[in-house]
Amino acid sequence: MIGSAPPQERQRVSRQRRATRPKAEDDMNQRRRLVALFLAGAAATTIGLIEARPALAVAESAFLTIRSQGGGNYSLTVTGHFDLPQAAPTSYSIKIIGEDGWFDDTPVCDAWPLTTDANGNYWHQYTCTGALLNEDWEGQDENYAKVTVFPSGTKSHSIRSNTVKGYY
């Protein structure tokens, strides 16, 4: 063959080109490959070659903290997450309940109406007096938060927070 280089020479020239290729060009080629892989996966899912899988759900949670503000008042903070049926801000309520061995007390402090963010996360802080948190006649008090969500179009449900012990 006239004018063609031997295979070893072609491989050497190819390696030299790759070695001298600018990094930006390598990055662009890598991006193209990733986009092509993504598009192939999306197309396969769309036409039913691959089963689409739901995103992993974050466990529902509620966490209560109680901190003294002085003067017999306490700062209560309730944070957590709800698994919502759709990504939209959703109404919820909080009730602080005294925990007892035989039966729990009626709510001592509450807050409503409140709204989660679109992902189901919530955070609320408010003040409650120690007289309300003092749910036991003697000894240490135990309080927890009952957080209820009211998603649009589905049934409401509640989750319970950790129990916070203290002398109020």
Side-chain angles (χ1 to χ4, degrees), residues 2 33-34 38 42 44 52 54 62 66 110 117 129 141 145 155 165:
I2 300 175
R33 285 186 203 112
L34 288 173
F38 173 76
I66 301 175
D110 58 1
D117 70 10
T129 66
D141 303 299
K155 189 175 172 183
K165 297 179 180 181

Side-chain angles (χ1 to χ4, degrees), residues 30-47:
Q30 187 174 10
R31 284 188 200 126
R32 286 181 184 143
R33 285 186 203 112
L34 288 173
V35 168
L37 182 62
F38 173 76
L39 292 175
T45 301
T46 303
I47 62 173

